[in-house]
Amino acid sequence: GGLMRYLALDVGDARIGVAVSDAGAMLARPLEVIARSRGSASFERIQALVDEYGVSAIVVGWPFLPNGSEGEQVRSTAAYLDGLRRHVSVPIIRYDERDTTNQAADLARASARSRRRRAKQLDAMAAAVILQSFLDEMAEEQAS
């Protein structure tokens, strides 16, 4: 029932990559990069995107270490989500991104541009890769 559209976040220390799915939840595309700053500006921007795109849920890449333990990056992401939860109107889904990081780097290298621009694009691209693998997994579960 109903169309589902997802927003995905790749939360970094300085920037948050954002991707969005199509209304059929089949295809992810990079959307934008938001500066991660103190205060609620980034939370409000994310809620604005939720409203603009009619998003059903937010998928957040959960950066486990390769051995499955939670490192510093997980604590940083968790702290961000605590704030985000108070500002957004939709559920937040944590998604294990261990398999996706290398794919994102490969993709970005394939479309190499100037160094600084690539770093920014990479964040949105990484969010799209996280979202795409999430969407693919959901599609497989529904098919089986």
Side-chain angles (χ1 to χ4, degrees):
L3 294 176
M4 298 281 280
R5 196 191 287 271
Y6 294 90
L7 197 72
L9 308 178
D10 180 54
V11 179
D13 292 328
R15 292 185 300 267
I16 294 141
V18 185
V20 68
S21 79
D22 61 341
M26 297 298 291
L27 205 64
R29 66 181 174 90
L31 191 58
E32 65 180 71
V33 176
I34 300 170
R36 179 175 177 177
S37 50
R38 293 196 173 280
S40 61
S42 67
F43 304 142
E44 285 161 14
R45 177 65 190 144
I46 290 165
Q47 177 58 41
L49 291 171
V50 165
D51 290 340
E52 183 182 339
Y53 287 95
V55 168
S56 309
I58 296 172
V59 177
V60 178
W62 205 247
F64 288 106
L65 296 175
N67 63 7
S69 67
E70 300 196 346
E72 193 53 48
Q73 195 62 48
V74 162
R75 284 189 283 280
S76 169
T77 301
Y80 185 78
L81 287 195
D82 284 343
L84 182 63
R85 270 198 192 91
R86 294 196 287 273
H87 289 82
V88 297
S89 57
V90 294
I92 296 173
I93 300 165
R94 301 191 319 186
Y95 181 71
D96 185 345
E97 64 173 56
R98 268 174 294 181
D99 303 332
T100 61
T101 318
N102 296 339
Q103 282 177 274
D106 293 344
L107 271 174
R109 274 195 295 273
S111 64
R113 292 196 179 78
S114 77
R115 183 85 194 97
R116 252 183 69 207
R117 180 145 168 233
R118 187 167 81 220
K120 282 200 100 156
Q121 280 183 325
L122 181 56
D123 295 327
M125 185 89 82
V129 171
I130 289 166
L131 183 53
Q132 192 63 59
S133 42
F134 170 81
L135 297 173
D136 292 347
E137 254 177 51
M138 284 209 321
E140 277 167 34
E141 280 169 25
Q142 282 166 1
S144 60

